[in-house]
């Protein structure tokens, strides 16, 4: 009898494992449609990509609007979960979010852990410094301390181009900017759009300047789990549709157009696949 119980327990365990594998195989697209909610990981302190609106206390930004478009296309609600540069990939692989639209560069090394959509935003890395600091490019950072965010491409890139600087990695970019204001670092480095957001949302934007040429390419992709191709296809299609139907340009102008504090001319084209 005891032996029978053991056999039964083993069989049951097998069935349970199989069913959880099957539900994983069904994919995120089916799961999201069933739940009626798309859970998106976005930044909550990166102006203007994902940040808390002072008046409404709601999470807003370019990445948030991209996620809203995708959720609308799926016909589901959008739920937002804040992630940082360091937490976005583990949060995704552990299943806590369905996708990450979080100023994330599509890097081949990250592609070993998650998958990425086509590029939905194109940027590059620069420096934010105090005006008249004398720092004009990463060449001037030798022997200096530079602030950036933990888990970013920025911390690696700057060390690569200027091995003689000391990189101090903070939880996020606002903390790195605070360190710059307090004189604890000589520059903040990351993607130029994030630097534009930091500078523009300061009480005294004219005290700061963004300097140098791009020293790393930073094409953003939306992160999804590995081997989830129906979902990945859906999100890629949504991005291509929003580019073709003009929604992308509208959203881009809302956040980065000439009327905004974060003006950045749109100088690249999305790689849209023909039908
Ligand atoms: N785009 C870069 C990255 O993915 C820097 C911005 C960020 O930390 O999110 O790491």
């Amino acid at each position: 009898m005891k032996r029978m119980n053991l056999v039964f327990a083993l069989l049951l365990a097998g069935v349970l494992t199989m069913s959880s594998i099957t539900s994983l195989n069904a994919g995120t697209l089916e799961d999201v449609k069933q739940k009626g909610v798309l859970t998106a990981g976005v930044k909550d302190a990166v102006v203007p990509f994902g940040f808390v609106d002072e008046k409404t206390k709601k999470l807003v930004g370019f990445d948030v609007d991209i996620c809203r478009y995708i959720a609308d296309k799926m016909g589901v609600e959008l739920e937002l979960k804040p992630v940082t540069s360091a937490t976005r990939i583990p949060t995704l692989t552990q299943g806590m979010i369905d996708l990450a639209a979080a100023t994330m560069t599509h890097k081949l090394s990250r592609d070993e852990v998650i998958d990425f959509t086509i590029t939905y935003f194109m940027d590059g890395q620069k420096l934010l410094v105090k005006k008249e600091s004398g720092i004009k490019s990463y060449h001037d950072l030798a022997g200096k301390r530079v602030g950036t965010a933990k888990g970013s491409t920025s911390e690696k890139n700057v060390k690569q181009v200027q091995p003689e600087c000391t990189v101090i990695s903070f939880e996020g970019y606002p903390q790195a900017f605070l360190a710059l204001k307090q004189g604890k670092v000589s520059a903040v480095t990351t993607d130029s759009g994030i630097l534009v957001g930091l500078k523009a949302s300061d009480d005294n934007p004219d005290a700061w300047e963004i300097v140098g040429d791009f020293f790393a390419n930073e094409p953003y992709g939306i992160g999804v789990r590995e081997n989830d191709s129906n979902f990945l296809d859906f999100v890629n299609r949504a991005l291509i549709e929003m580019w073709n139907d003009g929604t992308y340009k509208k959203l881009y102008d809302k956040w980065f157009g000439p009327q905004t504090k974060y003006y950045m001319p749109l100088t690249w084209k999305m790689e849209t696949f023909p039908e």
Side-chain angles (χ1 to χ4, degrees):
M1 200 58 189
K2 267 191 188 149
R3 201 190 164 88
M4 280 307 286
N5 279 346
L6 181 68
V7 170
F8 181 70
L10 284 174
L11 275 174
L12 186 66
V15 169
L16 286 176
T17 316
M18 284 304 289
S19 68
S20 62
I21 288 172
T22 323
S23 84
L24 266 183
N25 282 345
T28 304
L29 187 59
E30 286 311 306
D31 283 355
V32 167
K33 284 187 176 164
Q34 225 159 26
K35 277 189 301 177
V37 182
L38 174 73
T39 309
V42 293
K43 294 287 182 78
D44 67 353
V46 180
V47 179
F49 292 90
F51 63 103
V52 180
D53 181 286
E54 273 175 23
K55 283 190 206 118
T56 63
K57 304 285 175 238
K58 290 215 165 97
L59 263 176
V60 295
F62 178 74
D63 279 341
V64 172
D65 282 348
I66 297 270
C67 292
R68 183 152 296 118
Y69 180 91
I70 297 165
D72 285 350
K73 278 272 152 203
M74 281 180 190
V76 298
E77 294 290 308
L78 177 65
E79 180 191 23
L80 298 167
K81 280 211 179 138
V83 291
T84 67
S85 300
T87 65
R88 59 196 162 191
I89 292 178
T91 308
L92 180 64
T93 55
Q94 287 160 23
M96 272 123 70
I97 52 175
D98 299 312
L99 53 77
T103 65
M104 181 156 58
T105 300
H106 183 176
K107 282 195 81 178
L108 289 178
S109 55
R110 288 177 176 160
D111 225 316
E112 284 168 16
V113 192
I114 58 170
D115 280 339
F116 284 90
T117 62
I118 53 172
T119 299
Y120 74 98
F121 187 86
M122 187 65 91
D123 206 354
Q125 187 168 345
K126 289 197 175 187
L127 307 175
L128 178 69
V129 296
K130 204 172 161 64
K131 218 172 223 167
E132 276 140 38
S133 69
I135 298 171
K136 293 277 166 233
S137 80
Y138 64 80
H139 295 291
D140 305 316
L141 291 178
K144 297 216 156 62
R145 291 147 68 97
V146 191
T148 187
K150 233 180 274 169
S152 66
T153 51
S154 322
E155 54 181 356
K156 294 201 185 84
N157 297 336
V158 72
K159 194 73 193 166
Q160 206 161 21
V161 297
Q162 180 46 276
E164 280 163 44
C165 72
T166 303
V167 179
I168 318 243
S169 293
F170 295 86
E171 169 87 9
Y173 297 104
Q175 291 89 338
F177 190 32
L178 186 64
L180 177 65
K181 290 184 192 178
Q182 294 170 336
K184 292 178 181 158
V185 297
S186 304
V188 175
T189 188
T190 188
D191 309 337
S192 74
I194 299 177
L195 298 179
V196 166
L198 284 175
K199 174 174 150 68
S201 36
D202 189 54
D203 291 340
N204 188 8
D206 291 338
W208 314 102
E209 60 183 339
I210 297 168
V211 296
D213 294 328
F214 288 139
F215 56 89
N217 290 329
E218 303 293 323
Y220 292 1
I222 296 178
V224 300
R225 274 180 287 279
E226 287 258 271
N227 306 324
D228 201 350
S229 83
N230 286 345
F231 185 58
L232 180 58
D233 285 352
F234 188 99
V235 181
N236 272 334
R237 267 181 180 273
L239 290 174
I240 290 170
E241 265 172 44
M242 78 187 299
W243 182 272
N244 288 339
D245 73 9
T247 312
Y248 183 92
K249 182 75 170 56
K250 242 190 259 162
L251 288 184
Y252 188 91
D253 283 345
K254 172 180 167 190
W255 294 106
F256 302 103
Q259 319 299 342
T260 68
K261 287 196 283 181
Y262 321 112
Y263 179 46
M264 289 174 70
L266 184 58
T267 54
W268 63 281
K269 279 198 168 74
M270 191 181 280
E271 187 202 357
T272 55
F273 313 133
E275 272 301 318

